[in-house]
Structure formats: C-alpha cells, structure tokens
C-alpha cells in the first residue's frame, strides 16, 4: 500500500497533529477565556470614576478585586508557558 503524501496548495507538507493535541490546546484557550467575566468586573471597578465616598466599601471592593486579579495572574502565568510549549511541540511535529 502506497502512502499518499498530502501537500498544501503551495506544495508544502502538512504536519501530523492528533485530535488530542488540538483538544488540549483548545482546553487551555477555554481556561483563559473563562476569565473574561472576572476581568470585565475588574475593569468596571477600576474604570469607575464615580465611586462612592464610602471608604469601607472602597476598601472592601478593592480587596476582593485584588484577590480576583491575583488568582487570574497566577493562572495566566501558569497557562501561557503550557500553551507556548504545546504550540512549539506542534510546530516540530512530523510532516506528512
């Protein structure tokens, strides 16, 4: 049985990528996308110029927002290197 070599329109070989690798990368992207609502909340808090003068409420909201940001930053700094490694791995994949 002869193996047919797949090529693009420019006669470039196509890389062999498994569905698992695609799904894994997609899962990491979804993980980062899951932060959109929390980041919108942070953006609304920090861009609101008409904050109430209640210092206790400001301190309470600021503390909550700082915790959300810390969790996001930690997750972001863990996920980005994983995605970069996975993308680099996909780039080195065997070509068909």
């Amino acid at each position: 049985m002869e193996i047919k070599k797949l090529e693009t329109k420019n006669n470039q070989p196509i890389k062999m990528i498994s569905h698992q690798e695609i799904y894994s990368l997609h899962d990491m992207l979804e993980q980062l996308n899951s932060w959109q609502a929390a980041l919108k909340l942070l953006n609304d808090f920090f861009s609101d110029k008409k904050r109430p003068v209640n210092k206790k409420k400001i301190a309470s909201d600021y503390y909550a927002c700082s915790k959300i940001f810390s969790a996001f930053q930690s997750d972001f700094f863990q996920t980005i290197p994983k995605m970069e490694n996975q993308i680099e791995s996909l780039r080195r994949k065997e070509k068909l």
Side-chain angles (χ1 to χ4, degrees):
M1 179 176 189
E2 184 179 323
I3 297 176
K4 184 178 179 183
K5 190 171 186 177
L6 300 174
E7 294 180 347
T8 64
K9 290 180 182 177
N10 298 335
N11 294 328
Q12 297 294 318
I14 298 174
K15 294 187 181 204
M16 184 170 50
I17 301 172
S18 71
H19 283 286
Q20 180 60 36
E21 291 166 323
I22 293 169
Y23 288 128
S24 179
L25 193 58
H26 182 263
D27 287 345
M28 282 188 237
L29 182 60
E30 280 185 342
Q31 182 179 351
L32 288 177
N33 281 334
S34 72
W35 282 101
Q36 287 183 358
L39 291 174
K40 184 181 180 325
L41 176 74
L42 289 176
N43 185 49
D44 293 346
F45 174 76
F46 287 110
S47 64
D48 182 16
K49 302 302 180 201
K50 298 178 272 179
R51 289 190 203 128
V53 183
N54 183 344
K55 290 181 182 180
K56 286 184 180 181
K57 176 153 178 43
I58 292 171
S60 172
D61 289 350
Y62 183 85
Y63 178 78
C65 288
S66 73
K67 291 297 182 181
I68 292 171
F69 178 75
S70 293
F72 166 74
Q73 185 179 31
S74 174
D75 188 47
F76 183 82
F77 286 135
Q78 289 175 11
T79 304
I80 291 299
K82 289 179 190 175
M83 288 183 79
E84 288 172 344
N85 289 339
Q86 189 154 11
I87 289 170
E88 192 59 37
S89 173
L90 292 175
R91 285 183 178 160
R92 290 190 305 262
K93 278 290 197 183
E94 176 184 345
K95 296 176 183 172
L96 294 176

